Amino acid sequence: MIKIVFATNNAHKIAEVKAVLGEGYELVTLKEVGITEDIPETGATLDENASLKARYVYNRTGLDCFADDTGLEVEALNGAPGVHSARYATDGHDFKANNRKLLNELQGADNRRARFRTVISLIRGGVEQHVEGIVEGTIAREESGAEGFGYDPLFIPTGHDRSFAEMSAEEKNAISHRGRAVAKLATILQK
Ligand code: IMP
């Protein structure tokens, strides 16, 4: 059994990562290691933020850990909201407001290409390494579906005609940014 701290309190993320990793892992949450405060995410890039979170946990606990940071990068918006995806419209994680703002920003835009990018920082035995997962797609003209979280109701992965929010967890995990990054993480952890 590989025991590792996942530096998040997002229940959706924990469920997704558990499903991709499968048997053989004991995922420990921040709450379970006594970290209840918000970890500062002040980096200018996804890599920096993933590092900040993982190093914070490692410095506090000395345990093997990993942290992820994800951004939605929209081509017509020069890569925005990117590293600011969580706080795009407001100071909090207001998914509805973020989706409304994204639709407004893209009003009339024909180029709706976008991608989700996840960076995972893994610290194992005190050594840090990063893996990345990307899924390409487009931003729909209206929200659809009730599964998932965040920008899922607006994101239609390339080769599909439904949003992530219209897919089962298994379908999303098989092709998603986080699913791909976690699959690479699993390969490293098995070594
Ligand atoms: P985080 O910093 O990794 O928590 O991600 C930043 C923001 O990106 C989140 O608050 C969500 O709005 C969005 N996000 C991250 N992962 C996903 C996903 O799998 N689907 C939809 N939105 C996501």
Side-chain angles (χ1 to χ4, degrees):
M1 187 65 87
I2 296 173
K3 185 175 174 178
I4 191 156
V5 182
F6 180 21
T8 189
N9 281 320
N10 179 329
H12 287 283
K13 283 190 183 179
I14 294 168
E16 286 186 5
V17 170
K18 270 192 175 156
V20 177
L21 284 179
E23 302 284 302
Y25 295 87
E26 184 186 343
L27 272 197
V28 183
T29 64
L30 286 178
K31 235 188 284 168
E32 286 166 337
V33 293
I35 298 177
T36 50
E37 67 276 21
D38 276 341
I39 302 177
E41 291 185 40
T42 50
T45 63
L46 298 177
D47 280 273
E48 276 177 36
N49 276 340
S51 261
L52 281 173
K53 286 187 270 190
R55 288 180 193 175
Y56 187 98
V57 173
Y58 183 72
N59 290 337
R60 280 277 297 272
T61 66
L63 298 170
D64 287 348
C65 58
F66 66 93
D68 78 325
D69 204 46
T70 294
L72 177 67
E73 299 172 342
V74 180
E75 195 173 277
L77 303 178
N78 298 316
V83 73
H84 305 294
S85 292
R87 294 176 180 80
Y88 188 40
T90 68
D91 220 18
H93 295 244
D94 187 337
F95 295 149
K96 280 270 156 219
N98 285 343
N99 285 340
R100 254 198 318 271
K101 177 167 177 180
L102 182 58
L103 284 178
N104 282 337
E105 296 286 325
L106 285 179
Q107 218 165 27
D110 287 330
N111 175 7
R112 308 192 68 92
R113 276 196 294 274
R115 63 183 195 170
F116 272 116
R117 193 159 68 87
T118 291
V119 173
I120 292 178
S121 163
L122 165 69
I123 300 181
R124 202 181 190 204
V127 178
E128 181 176 3
Q129 51 190 317
H130 286 194
V131 292
E132 183 185 71
I134 290 174
V135 58
E136 305 281 349
T138 53
I139 302 300
R141 291 181 191 273
E142 58 183 35
E143 292 186 39
S144 50
E147 304 297 322
F149 68 102
Y151 298 96
D152 280 348
L154 287 178
F155 187 84
I156 300 178
T158 300
H160 297 259
D161 56 7
R162 287 168 304 141
S163 76
F164 267 162
E166 292 177 288
M167 296 185 177
S168 67
E170 293 73 32
E171 277 180 289
K172 178 183 171 189
N173 284 339
I175 56 171
S176 80
H177 45 303
R178 192 169 302 98
R180 287 174 173 160
V182 173
K184 290 183 189 170
L185 174 73
T187 305
I188 294 175
L189 290 174
Q190 290 302 331
K191 278 185 193 152

